[in-house]
Structure formats: C-alpha cells, structure tokens
C-alpha cells in the first residue's frame, strides 16, 4: 500500500481546511476521522500528546478503542518514536520487541512524531491489519500531516 502524490496533495489540502475550521482536540479528531476514512490501509488512526514522560491519547478513529490511552515514554513503538525523534515503521509487529499490543488484528504499524520548536510534542499512530502496510510514501505523507498538527496538539493540553 502507499500514498501516491495524486492522493497526498488533495489530502493535505483537506487537512489544512480542517485546521482552519477546528481547533485543539476537535481538529485532531476530525483529522483522525478523515485519514481513517480516506485510506483503506489506515484502519486505526490515533494522535497522542506528550505530557511530561507520558503519551496521552487525544483522539482516535477506528473500530475499537485501545486500552493504551497513556503510554510511558519507555514503552511501545510509540515510546520508541518519541525517544528517538523519528518515524518508526514496523512491518511485522509480532517480530518487534518494543510492540505494545492493542488489537489482535494488528500486523504492522507506523508512528510519526509531531514536533514543535524541534521537540516532540506528540505523534500520529496508525495500526494496519496487513503486514508491511506502510512504505516511504506513507512516511512522507504522514510527516507532512504531523507538521501541521503541532498547534492542535498544544491546544489539546488546555482545558476546554
Ligand atoms: N502499538 C502501540 C501502542 C498503541 S496502540 O497501537 C493504539 C505501541 O507499540 O506503542
């Protein structure tokens, strides 16, 4: 699976439009909803916000809720991506020592950090039920989405 340029460009414009109309958690929720609906290989899409040493789930879209709504930085592929300040793609989660299982159906995962001022403030986490669902085009596309989400993630920290 991949995200060809002809789909990435209009999708990024749509994300921009969401972010002009919505703020904070509502914006993150709508971006998750859009990505999950638009890309068949993104069956579960979540956004975590880094709060101290813990990743806190701010918004998600998919069939099932995850029990991992708070992930310590030391745990999981989510923790790894935040610690290492980089996108992590795992083609086969059953072979990953870092993997924190959420859904029985998950076969592969991508975690993309969201930066503000050079520091990780959150991340996009996508689980797929296919092996090796994510390639360099997903990484490139999702890093561009993540680059747009830093203000919405920061706003999520505020009450209301
Ligand atoms: N699998 C993730 C945990 C979050 S769930 O996928 C929603 C991880 O290993 O960090």
């Amino acid at each position: 699976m991949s995200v060809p340029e002809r789909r990435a460009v209009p999708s990024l414009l749509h994300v921009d439009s969401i972010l002009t109309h919505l703020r904070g958690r509502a914006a993150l929720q709508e971006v998750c909803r859009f990505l999950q609906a638009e890309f068949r290989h993104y069956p579960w899409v979540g956004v975590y916000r880094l709060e101290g040493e813990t990743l806190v789930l701010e918004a998600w879209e998919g069939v099932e809720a995850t029990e991992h709504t708070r992930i310590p930085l030391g745990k999981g592929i989510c923790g790894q991506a935040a610690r290492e300040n980089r996108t992590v793609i795992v083609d086969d989660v059953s072979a990953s020592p870092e993997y924190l299982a959420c859904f029985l159906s998950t076969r592969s995962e991508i975690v993309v950090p969201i930066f503000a001022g050079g520091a990780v403030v959150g991340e996009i986490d996508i689980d797929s039920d296919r092996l090796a669902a994510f390639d360099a085009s997903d990484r490139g596309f999702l890093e561009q989405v993540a680059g747009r989400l830093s203000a919405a993630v920061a706003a999520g920290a505020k009450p209301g």
Side-chain angles (χ1 to χ4, degrees):
M1 305 299 294
S2 65
V3 178
E5 199 65 12
R6 67 168 194 287
R7 296 194 65 201
V9 171
S11 295
L12 289 169
L13 289 173
H14 189 82
V15 169
D16 286 339
S17 158
I18 291 169
L19 295 170
T20 58
H21 291 99
L22 297 170
R23 297 278 177 269
R25 201 169 286 137
L28 298 176
Q29 182 62 47
E30 183 56 20
V31 170
C32 289
R33 193 206 62 72
F34 168 67
L35 293 175
Q36 198 265 357
E38 185 69 13
F39 296 97
R40 216 184 261 196
H41 62 306
Y42 294 177
W44 192 92
V45 180
V47 173
Y48 287 87
R49 177 173 53 80
L50 185 60
E51 190 178 283
E53 299 278 293
T54 307
L55 291 156
V56 179
L57 187 63
E58 288 287 306
W60 64 274
E61 190 71 40
V63 179
E64 284 179 76
T66 176
E67 63 184 89
H68 298 300
T69 55
R70 298 178 69 85
I71 301 176
L73 265 188
K75 299 249 185 246
I77 298 164
C78 288
Q80 184 191 358
R83 286 194 313 273
E84 298 180 1
N85 296 312
R86 66 179 182 97
T87 296
V88 176
I89 294 177
V90 177
D91 287 340
D92 179 358
V93 294
S94 73
S96 164
E98 302 270 6
Y99 179 61
L100 262 183
C102 283
F103 315 112
L104 281 176
S105 58
T106 299
R107 294 288 173 268
S108 59
E109 181 160 355
I110 184 169
V111 182
V112 181
I114 297 167
F115 294 97
V120 173
V121 294
E123 55 195 28
I124 301 171
D125 174 24
I126 303 183
D127 287 38
S128 179
D129 49 11
R130 299 170 191 221
L131 282 172
F134 308 106
D135 66 13
S137 68
D138 295 280
R139 175 201 299 261
F141 169 63
L142 291 168
E143 287 179 351
Q144 292 192 71
V145 175
R148 288 158 161 80
L149 296 186
S150 46
V153 167
K158 297 183 187 118

